[in-house]
């Protein structure tokens, strides 16, 4: 796509995108807005007057599909009312992983849907929309290979929204954890070339972006030359790009070069999301995770050997089929040993078509609830302690946006904690030393070290 601004004289149309799920979807929604802007579509924050509504869906959560159908039902009603009142007819599109998983079944179940577009086909949206305008009633769906998507979206022409940005470098998964739908919905592992990623990162930096988060379902399986470590080094050399993060990683792909990079590159932030899922080897085996509790703990030790202050985050599933009390106790023991800065916890939910859905020993919902509560209590305690440990320190904070209270800004510490401080708007986009004075479960409060903020930290 070229021509990022609406064609002169093009009628202005309203686009509403509702995003569900992960950061990959947030990124994809931004890209969809970008490819549609040359058609005259401007983003709106409600569906009420929209000419085009996109539901960018997620398939991970329980009942995700049902929620999409219920949302579609509401949109259909809204559209019917509008048409009855003589208003314009909105186009309804379904994108994301539910679109991928359900395909044309969506159009069968909800006739109001005009188009279904899988995660690999967003570059075709303008054409699909144009065709849908021309041929009312001709309902459309598309999916294409990932490389085509990225070639067509191109590295240039993406609009930055703020001082931080997500950048997709890898998609898909070959790991086939037995509980997970991603390998089926997003397909096999696939990496973009370092050249196109660098071009996109330079373009973002030129627009004032100072922090990028590299995205991939298995980001550390990045297969470009030299792996993720080489890519991070390459991006760290871009002037103005001072902070690099990446998510989500798999323990199996955490190689020595990447571990070493954490000790060597100041731009690589000391925060690592490394899901373990369980602390029981029996359950890990049934999950097809390819690591043990012991190998995971040793890995964390090596990472902390390279970067001692690393904040570790994880994903956990409680109540996987066959999980006994002793398995769950092993998970708690692992959590105590690792000491997490933050974490995401889930009750196992059956995903049709995945091996675990058919396993014997499905765990009672009440047992799952109880285990989840105990795990959350422990992780909560660790998160609070991690945050409290920052009080009294001076941390470099990248200010991102105004806070809820006048005169306040919100930024992020290197450890990804939200930091609130009284600071002038002109500090948005700058990395400034902040003395941390208070902490809570999710955030820190601090004060600028000096009123004279000419002391902004220099890029490393
Ligand atoms: N049930 C519960 N949690 C799941 N996750 C993925 N699939 C399931 C499922 N079927 C969790 C995993 C993964 C995170 C993104 O979602 O912990 O790491
Ligand atoms: Fe799903 Fe496992 Fe792949 Fe993560 S590594 S996306 S949990 S199959």
């Amino acid at each position: 796509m070229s021509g990022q601004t609406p064609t002169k004289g093009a009628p202005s149309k309203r686009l509403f995108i509702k995003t569900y799920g992960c950061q990959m979807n947030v990124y994809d929604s931004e890209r969809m807005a970008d490819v549609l802007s040359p058609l005259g579509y401007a983003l709106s924050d409600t569906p009420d007057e929209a000419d085009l509504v996109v539901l960018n869906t997620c398939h991970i959560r329980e009942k995700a599909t049902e929620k999409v159908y219920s949302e579609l039902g509401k949109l259909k009603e809204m559209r019917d009312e509008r048409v009855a009142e003589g208003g314009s007819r909105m186009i309804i599109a379904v994108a994301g992983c539910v679109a991928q998983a359900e395909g044309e079944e969506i159009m069968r179940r909800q006739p109001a849907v005009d188009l279904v577009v899988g995660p690999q086909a967003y570059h075709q949206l303008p054409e699909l929309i144009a065709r849908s305008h021309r041929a009312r009633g001709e309902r459309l769906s598309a999916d294409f290979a990932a490389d085509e998507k990225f070639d067509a979206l191109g590295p240039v022409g993406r609009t930055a929204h703020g001082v931080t940005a997500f950048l997709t470098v890898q998609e898909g998964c070959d790991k086939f954890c037995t509980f997970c739908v991603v390998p089926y919905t997003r397909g096999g592992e696939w990496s973009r070339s370092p050249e196109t990623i660098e071009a996109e990162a330079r373009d973002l930096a030129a627009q004032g972006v100072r922090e990028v988060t590299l995205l991939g379902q298995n980001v550390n399986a990045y297969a470009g030359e030299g792996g993720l470590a080489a890519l991070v080094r390459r991006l760290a050399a871009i002037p103005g790009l001072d902070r690099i993060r990446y998510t989500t990683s798999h323990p199996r792909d955490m190689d020595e070069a990447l571990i070493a990079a954490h000790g060597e590159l100041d731009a690589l932030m000391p925060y690592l999301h490394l899901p373990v899922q369980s602390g029981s080897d029996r359950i890990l085996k049934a999950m097809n995770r390819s690591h043990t509790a012991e190998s995971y703990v040793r890995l964390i030790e090596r990472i902390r050997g390279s970067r001692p202050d690393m904040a570790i985050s994880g994903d956990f599933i409680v109540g996987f089929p066959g999980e006994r009390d002793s398995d769950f106790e092993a998970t708690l023991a692992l959590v105590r040993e690792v000491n997490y800065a933050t974490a995401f916890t889930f009750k196992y939910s059956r995903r049709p078509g995945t091996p675990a859905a058919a396993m014997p020993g499905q765990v009672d919902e009440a047992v799952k609830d109880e285990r989840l509560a105990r795990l959350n209590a422990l992780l909560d305690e660790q998160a609070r302690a991690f945050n409290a440990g920052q009080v009294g320190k001076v941390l470099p904070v990248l200010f991102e946006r105004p806070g809820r209270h006048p005169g306040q800004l919100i930024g992020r510490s290197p450890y990804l904690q939200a930091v609130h401080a009284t600071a002038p708007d002109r500090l948005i986009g700058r990395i400034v030393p902040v003395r941390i004075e208070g902490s809570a479960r999710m955030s820190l409060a601090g004060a600028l070290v000096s009123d004279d903020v000419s002391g902004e930290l220099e890029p490393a």
Side-chain angles (χ1 to χ4, degrees):
M1 284 306 307
S2 62
Q4 300 81 38
T5 45
T7 322
K8 273 212 177 65
S12 174
K13 284 170 269 174
R14 267 174 280 225
L15 163 66
F16 174 72
I17 306 182
K18 180 160 182 170
T19 308
Y20 301 81
C22 65
Q23 286 150 337
M24 188 76 80
N25 273 11
V26 173
Y27 173 91
D28 281 344
S29 290
E30 286 182 5
R31 301 306 310 264
M32 283 192 261
D34 287 341
V35 298
L36 289 168
S37 99
L39 292 190
Y41 281 99
L43 271 176
S44 137
D45 41 2
T46 93
D48 298 338
E49 306 269 296
D51 301 284
L52 168 61
V53 174
V54 180
L55 299 185
N56 191 9
T57 60
C58 168
H59 201 245
I60 289 265
R61 300 301 143 109
E62 203 173 4
K63 303 205 181 84
T65 312
E66 289 317 308
K67 278 188 200 133
V68 170
Y69 283 113
S70 124
E71 191 68 33
L72 286 171
K74 283 188 222 151
L75 286 171
K76 178 185 184 300
E77 255 174 51
M78 188 186 285
R79 174 161 89 185
D80 290 350
E81 266 172 40
R82 231 158 79 182
V83 171
E85 289 163 8
S88 63
R89 181 184 179 281
M90 69 165 79
I91 299 174
I92 300 175
V94 181
C97 292
V98 173
Q100 178 79 12
E102 298 269 299
E104 302 189 350
E105 171 65 19
I106 297 176
M107 299 216 216
R108 269 193 294 279
R109 252 187 83 177
Q110 179 46 274
V113 173
D114 296 288
L115 38 121
V116 173
V117 50
Q120 313 305 351
Y122 296 148
H123 61 288
Q124 291 185 304
L125 261 175
E127 197 200 321
L128 290 172
I129 304 274
R131 271 164 53 195
S132 155
H133 274 301
R134 281 200 300 271
R136 288 274 175 243
E138 182 201 347
R139 299 159 76 216
L140 305 158
S141 80
D143 197 42
F144 271 72
D147 47 353
E148 222 179 290
K149 162 183 164 181
F150 283 113
D151 287 351
L153 290 174
V156 193
R158 173 172 174 205
T159 315
H161 306 271
V163 302
T164 64
F166 294 121
L167 208 175
T168 295
V169 305
Q170 182 275 341
E171 279 198 23
C173 182
D174 300 335
K175 308 290 192 292
F176 290 93
C177 300
T178 53
F179 51 79
C180 183
V181 288
V182 167
Y184 310 98
T185 56
R186 290 269 173 171
E189 287 175 13
W190 188 89
S191 298
R192 294 174 73 188
S193 78
E195 291 76 23
T196 57
I197 295 165
E198 184 184 334
E200 187 169 332
R202 284 190 184 275
D203 184 44
L204 290 169
Q207 296 179 63
V209 167
R210 302 205 58 187
E211 174 180 301
V212 289
T213 302
L214 308 181
L215 292 181
Q217 264 92 27
N218 274 268
V219 71
N220 60 341
Y222 177 72
E225 173 132 25
L228 189 61
L231 182 67
V232 169
R233 276 179 205 280
R234 188 172 178 141
L235 300 182
I238 297 175
L241 211 57
D242 299 312
R243 290 183 163 194
I244 298 171
R245 304 179 185 277
Y246 58 90
T247 199
T248 288
S249 296
H250 192 288
R252 197 178 87 185
D253 297 313
M254 204 65 214
D255 63 23
E256 289 307 321
L258 188 56
I259 295 174
H262 274 285
E264 291 161 10
L265 293 176
D266 289 332
L268 190 51
M269 291 292 101
Y271 174 95
L272 179 64
H273 183 61
L274 198 63
V276 65
Q277 314 296 358
S278 169
S280 154
D281 289 345
R282 210 171 60 79
I283 297 298
L284 287 169
K285 192 151 187 256
M287 287 176 164
N288 191 30
R289 284 292 294 179
S290 78
H291 58 81
T292 62
E294 166 85 11
S295 71
Y296 178 87
V297 169
R298 294 287 93 83
L299 176 59
I300 298 290
E301 279 171 3
R302 293 209 320 275
I303 293 163
R304 286 191 168 137
S306 173
R307 179 81 204 221
D309 61 340
M310 187 75 99
I312 304 289
S313 155
D315 287 348
F316 297 86
I317 296 177
V318 299
F320 185 84
E323 187 185 71
R324 304 181 193 128
D325 279 339
S326 56
D327 298 307
F328 177 65
E329 292 299 331
T331 298
L332 294 178
L334 178 137
V335 170
R336 285 191 200 97
E337 193 158 357
V338 170
N339 200 5
Y340 286 88
T342 182
F344 302 88
T345 56
F346 307 89
K347 283 192 286 180
Y348 171 72
S349 89
R350 268 170 125 146
R351 309 298 325 179
T354 59
M359 286 181 187
Q362 298 287 330
V363 175
D364 204 73
E365 213 53 32
V367 174
K368 287 185 199 169
D369 285 331
E370 195 233 344
R371 288 180 187 164
L372 186 70
R374 284 182 65 201
L375 178 61
N376 282 344
L378 176 59
L379 287 163
D380 220 75
E381 205 180 287
Q382 294 189 344
R384 285 177 190 282
F386 181 79
N387 291 347
Q390 312 295 333
V391 175
K393 288 189 191 162
V394 173
L395 297 180
V397 171
L398 169 58
F399 283 117
E400 293 179 11
R401 59 194 160 86
R404 223 177 308 147
H405 306 294
Q408 200 188 50
L409 295 184
I410 298 181
R412 296 246 175 218
S413 77
Y415 311 106
L416 204 59
Q417 295 142 310
V419 182
H420 303 255
T422 300
D425 283 356
R426 68 193 158 82
L427 291 190
I428 290 175
R430 294 179 63 184
I431 299 170
V432 179
V434 172
R435 184 175 308 283
I436 305 304
E437 295 173 337
S439 75
R441 159 78 180 82
M442 298 288 285
S443 65
L444 303 175
L448 297 183
V449 167
S450 107
D451 291 339
D452 167 23
V453 290
S454 59
E456 177 185 12
L457 297 186
E458 280 310 308

